[in-house]
């Protein structure tokens, strides 16, 4: 069908069925297929060492994940990912918990955010690579893209640290950020209320976009709108169970009393669990794909030369289809190869000429040195010949003198006789 033959929604004709057909079972088919395949959910826990990230994850999913206490003397920030297979009723969930190790422990915190951004981009790149393959298998591909970032804020009661603001600003276009105040039982309710207002004010002032629970679905619009006003959530995590009124509950015991994790009068843990897992998990997954990944994908494809529509640029025509893009890239590559080959040829010619000039100069120097040595040799030979002649003359004079003396001695001997 040509593009002009595609029906517009206003041109579609409604029809009334006279009997049951069966396509009303499509939602059930979709649910059954999804349950059979299972789901995946990836959480990034970002916060300072010892702020309670692992404990909160254990409390959220009512289990005990692998965790190793981290020291404060590591040279840089590292991300440690662990994947777990969870099952509740007949629903299987592949959960990946990514923990930030040594975040905020360095003296120089200028690029503390960089390893985190690189990790998120690496997961996007891996998914895009699988998506662009000719033979792809996205239905069973392990999606490692981060669906939400729980940003743990220290319960100072004053304001956000510069590190928190810079990091969240770098991440807000790449991941769904949900700020939480960790160890909220260490500050009073009045201080906590002021601290929440201060945090939201600072985030708004600095243009940090955090995840807002969706209100476009009528079934969850009211509860999500209410919960948006509770952000950031003040949470308390605990693996300990305490008996209260003949019931075992997760809590933290202090000399002055007991803080119940699942008591909404004590902290916002129940609200966080309700919003994160029970109500908006699918929206977090969908937002990650439709917003953050699409933004990354668009930028990466634009770098590769793709465009949504035909247009003109400074370099000329911008292609739309894959074949056109491939051909353009191929021509550009061949052009670059020819250019580099010509540059290499010119460089080779220049170097050959330089080498010839160097050899001629060396030859000239050798000739000059040969002439100098030849002249020096001639002068030295002349000096030796002169010395030899002088010695011969002296020897002749000596022989003559010796003969004269001998003659005189013989004559004198004859006279004495």
């Amino acid at each position: 069908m040509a593009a002009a033959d595609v029906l517009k929604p206003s041109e579609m004709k409604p029809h009334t069925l006279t009997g049951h057909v069966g396509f009303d079972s499509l939602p059930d088919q979709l649910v059954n297929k999804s349950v059979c395949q299972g789901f995946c959910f990836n959480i990034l826990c970002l916060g300072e060492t010892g702020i309670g990230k692992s404990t909160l994850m254990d409390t959220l999913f009512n289990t005990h994940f692998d965790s190793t206490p981290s020291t404060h003397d590591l040279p840089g920030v590292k991300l440690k990912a662990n994947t777990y297979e969870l099952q509740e009723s007949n629903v299987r969930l592949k959960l990946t918990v990514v923990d930030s190790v040594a975040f905020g422990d360095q003296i120089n915190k200028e690029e503390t955010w960089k390893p985190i951004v690189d990790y998120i981009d690496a997961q996007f790149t891996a998914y895009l690579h699988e998506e662009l393959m000719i033979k792809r298998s996205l239905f069973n591909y392990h999606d490692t893209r981060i669906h939400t970032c729980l940003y743990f804020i220290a319960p100072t009661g004053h304001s956000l640290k510069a590190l928190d603001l810079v990091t969240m600003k770098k991440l807000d276009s790449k991941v769904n950020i949900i700020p939480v105040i960790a160890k909220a039982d260490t500050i009073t309710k009045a201080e906590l209320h002021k601290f929440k207002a201060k945090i939201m004010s600072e985030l708004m002032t600095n243009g940090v976009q955090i995840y807002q629970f969706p209100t476009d679905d009528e079934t969850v619009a009211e509860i999500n709108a209410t919960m948006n006003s509770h952000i950031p959530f003040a949470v308390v995590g605990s693996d300990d169970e305490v008996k209260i009124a003949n019931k075992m509950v997760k809590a933290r015991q202090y000399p002055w009393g007991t803080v119940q994790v699942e008591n909404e009068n004590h902290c916002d843990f129940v609200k966080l669990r309700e919003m994160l897992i029970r109500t908006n998990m699918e929206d977090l997954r969908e937002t990650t794909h439709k917003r953050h990944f699409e933004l990354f994908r668009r930028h990466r494809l634009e770098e590769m030369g793709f465009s949504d529509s035909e247009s003109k640029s400074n370099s000329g025509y911008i292609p739309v289809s894959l074949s056109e893009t491939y051909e353009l890239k191929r021509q550009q590559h061949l052009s670059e190869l020819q250019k580099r080959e010509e540059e290499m040829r010119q460089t080779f010619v220049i170097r050959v000429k330089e080498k010839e000039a160097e050899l001629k100069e060396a030859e000239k120097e050798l000739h000059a040195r040969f002439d100098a040595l030849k002249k020096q040799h001639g002068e030295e030979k002349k000096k030796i010949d002169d010395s030899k002649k002088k010695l011969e003359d002296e020897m002749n004079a000596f022989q003559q003198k010796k003969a004269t003396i001998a003659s005189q001695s013989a004559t004198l001997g004859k006279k004495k006789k």
Side-chain angles (χ1 to χ4, degrees):
M1 182 181 292
D5 298 332
V6 177
L7 292 176
K8 297 179 182 179
S10 58
E11 298 174 346
M12 296 181 184
K13 299 177 181 179
H15 277 272
T16 302
L17 303 179
T18 58
H20 182 261
V21 176
F23 57 79
D24 57 350
S25 66
L26 275 173
D28 296 330
Q29 297 176 36
L30 182 61
V31 169
N32 293 334
K33 182 179 179 181
S34 299
V35 170
C36 182
Q37 289 180 349
F39 302 88
C40 74
F41 192 62
N42 308 317
I43 302 176
L44 169 62
C45 298
L46 189 54
E48 300 174 0
T49 304
I51 204 168
K53 303 186 292 294
S54 300
T55 303
L56 183 65
M57 286 296 101
D58 293 347
T59 312
L60 270 175
F61 291 93
N62 200 22
T63 186
H64 184 72
F65 297 118
D66 300 331
S67 62
T68 304
S70 175
T71 60
H72 292 268
D73 55 357
L74 296 178
V77 179
K78 295 182 179 180
L79 295 179
K80 183 172 61 176
N82 290 309
T83 302
Y84 308 93
E85 290 280 353
L86 307 180
Q87 183 163 349
E88 189 174 39
S89 298
N90 64 333
V91 178
R92 291 180 295 107
L93 177 66
K94 184 179 289 185
L95 176 68
T96 299
V97 179
V98 184
D99 187 16
S100 58
V101 181
F103 179 77
D105 290 343
Q106 294 73 37
I107 296 176
N108 183 5
K109 300 179 177 61
E110 186 175 354
E111 291 190 349
T112 300
W113 52 269
K114 195 173 186 305
I116 303 159
V117 171
D118 292 343
Y119 180 86
I120 296 174
D121 285 346
Q123 311 318 307
F124 282 155
T125 301
Y127 190 89
L128 179 61
H129 181 265
E130 180 67 25
E131 189 180 67
L132 294 177
M133 290 180 66
I134 296 177
K135 187 178 180 181
R136 58 184 182 176
S137 55
L138 292 175
F139 66 93
N140 62 356
Y141 175 76
H142 181 203
D143 186 4
T144 58
R145 295 173 297 176
I146 301 298
H147 298 122
T148 184
C149 169
L150 292 181
Y151 196 97
F152 289 73
I153 301 171
T156 60
H158 300 293
S159 60
L160 288 171
K161 298 178 182 179
L163 174 63
D164 297 330
L165 290 171
V166 171
T167 303
M168 282 193 274
K169 185 61 180 175
K170 294 291 183 179
L171 296 178
D172 64 357
S173 62
K174 296 179 178 294
V175 68
N176 302 311
I177 300 175
I178 300 178
V180 295
I181 302 173
K183 297 183 178 180
D185 52 338
T186 60
I187 55 178
T188 65
K189 282 192 174 182
E191 290 174 334
L192 186 60
H193 182 73
K194 293 179 181 179
F195 191 33
K196 283 188 174 185
K198 181 70 173 177
I199 289 173
M200 295 305 295
S201 175
E202 289 182 343
L203 292 176
M204 187 177 298
T205 302
N206 290 274
V208 178
Q209 301 294 323
I210 62 174
Y211 176 75
Q212 294 289 319
F213 301 115
T215 56
D216 50 354
D217 186 352
E218 295 181 357
T219 58
V220 295
E222 184 176 353
I223 185 173
N224 280 349
T226 303
M227 290 302 174
N228 280 330
S229 63
H230 288 280
I231 299 176
F233 295 114
V235 297
V236 177
S238 176
D239 294 330
D240 302 328
E241 291 191 349
V242 179
K243 189 174 183 180
I244 298 178
N246 297 324
K247 184 180 180 182
M248 299 301 292
V249 297
K250 290 185 179 297
R252 298 182 70 89
Q253 278 190 321
Y254 295 96
W256 44 263
T258 303
V259 176
Q260 299 178 36
V261 172
E262 296 182 332
N263 189 332
E264 294 191 48
N265 293 321
H266 292 181
C267 69
D268 295 333
F269 173 80
V270 173
K271 296 183 178 67
L272 174 63
R273 184 177 62 188
E274 181 72 25
M275 292 296 97
L276 180 67
I277 301 174
R278 300 179 179 178
T279 306
N280 298 296
M281 180 181 282
E282 181 57 30
D283 184 75
L284 287 164
R285 287 158 37 91
E286 187 176 338
T287 303
T288 298
H289 182 78
K290 291 187 176 180
R291 179 184 172 190
H292 301 298
F293 175 70
E294 283 299 321
L295 180 62
F296 173 86
R297 180 177 178 275
R298 184 172 73 247
H299 290 165
R300 187 57 59 89
L301 291 180
E302 285 176 353
E303 291 174 0
M304 295 169 63
F306 290 92
S307 176
D308 290 333
S309 59
E310 296 183 6
S311 60
K312 292 285 184 177
S313 67
N314 295 332
S315 58
Y317 172 73
I318 298 178
V320 178
S321 67
L322 179 62
S323 59
E324 290 177 343
T325 302
Y326 171 78
E327 185 61 28
L328 178 64
K329 287 291 181 181
R330 179 174 173 276
Q331 294 298 332
Q332 290 177 351
H333 181 64
L334 291 176
S335 177
E336 290 178 2
L337 286 178
Q338 292 177 355
K339 184 179 178 181
R340 291 177 62 183
E341 184 180 359
E342 184 63 27
E343 290 176 353
M344 291 177 66
R345 186 182 292 109
Q346 292 178 0
T347 303
F348 177 75
V349 171
I350 293 172
R351 288 186 177 180
V352 168
K353 289 182 178 179
E354 290 176 351
K355 198 65 178 178
E356 288 179 349
E358 289 177 2
L359 290 174
K360 288 182 179 178
E361 188 66 24
E363 185 181 5
K364 186 177 179 181
E365 290 179 359
L366 287 174
H367 281 298
R369 288 179 63 187
F370 176 76
D371 292 339
L373 289 173
K374 186 177 180 181
K375 183 178 179 182
Q376 182 181 357
H377 177 72
E379 291 176 353
E380 289 179 354
K381 185 179 180 183
K382 183 179 180 183
K383 288 180 181 180
I384 292 172
D385 290 341
D386 292 344
S387 299
K388 182 179 178 182
K389 185 178 181 181
K390 184 178 179 181
L391 287 173
E392 288 178 349
D393 292 342
E394 289 179 354
M395 286 180 66
N396 291 334
F398 177 76
Q399 292 294 335
Q400 290 177 0
K401 187 175 181 180
K402 182 180 178 182
T404 302
I405 292 173
S407 175
Q408 290 177 353
S409 297
T411 303
L412 184 59
K414 288 180 178 181
K415 288 182 177 179
K416 287 181 179 181
K417 292 181 177 180

